[in-house]
Amino acid sequence: MKLGIINGWEEGNFKYVSDKGLDAIEFCVNHNYDADEFLSKAESIKSYSEKYNIPVGSMGRWGMVRIDENGEIIPEALEADKKVITAASIIGCPVYNCGVNYTESKSFYENCNIAIKYFSELLDFAKDKNVKIAAYNCS
């Protein structure tokens, strides 16, 4: 069994995890973090991971509204997820976690189908990037 911790992605965070004798680090690149900025740091994050021999076990993006009130995918949300998945691929992180919001104007069945559509887009995008998607329908 490997033991990791959710922490930040600066060099000091990797040193902290290494000093604690843990095996991995995980990130929450939530809605309040700019996906472009995170992606721009991917090579540096990869170098910290290698320097401290601490792999990134998973990362996720939470708190983002991905589906609008009409049940449509918000393109900017989908693009932000794709940017973080691209960063995960560069870093060597094998798992990306995210969920979709429930839309009150749609039935439970419709919300499930909307979630399937959203996650299918992410799965298609990630399939050649060695990143698996852990998807949650936040209903």
Side-chain angles (χ1 to χ4, degrees):
M1 179 170 79
K2 293 187 179 215
L3 186 59
I5 189 171
I6 296 172
N7 210 322
W9 45 83
E10 300 300 327
E11 183 172 7
N13 302 113
F14 283 87
K15 183 177 183 328
Y16 173 84
V17 171
S18 177
D19 289 349
K20 293 292 182 192
L22 299 172
D23 302 304
I25 193 168
E26 297 182 1
F27 304 141
C28 292
V29 189
N30 294 336
H31 71 284
N32 54 325
Y33 293 104
D34 182 84
D36 285 310
E37 183 180 338
F38 183 76
L39 177 56
S40 75
K41 295 179 179 185
E43 290 292 341
S44 294
I45 295 167
K46 179 181 178 181
S47 72
Y48 305 148
S49 176
E50 292 169 350
K51 178 178 179 178
Y52 293 96
N53 196 29
I54 299 293
V56 179
S58 74
M59 61 178 65
R61 189 163 177 88
W62 304 104
M64 186 168 57
V65 176
R66 292 172 167 92
I67 310 299
D68 71 17
E69 61 278 350
N70 298 315
E72 298 296 322
I73 292 172
I74 299 171
E76 297 82 10
L78 184 62
E79 287 308 308
D81 279 325
K82 288 179 177 181
K83 288 172 184 171
V84 180
I85 290 167
T86 299
S89 180
I90 292 166
I91 294 165
C93 174
V95 178
Y96 181 71
N97 301 289
C98 73
V100 296
N101 53 291
Y102 190 85
T103 302
E104 292 296 329
S105 68
K106 301 294 179 184
S107 68
F108 178 75
Y109 178 79
E110 289 170 315
N111 270 280
C112 288
N113 282 316
I114 293 164
I116 289 168
K117 182 179 176 185
Y118 192 90
F119 295 136
S120 292
E121 292 260 354
L122 292 185
L123 288 164
D124 286 345
F125 181 77
K127 71 180 165 189
D128 65 344
K129 293 178 175 42
N130 295 320
V131 177
K132 305 248 186 290
I133 307 298
Y136 304 91
N137 184 0
C138 303
S139 51

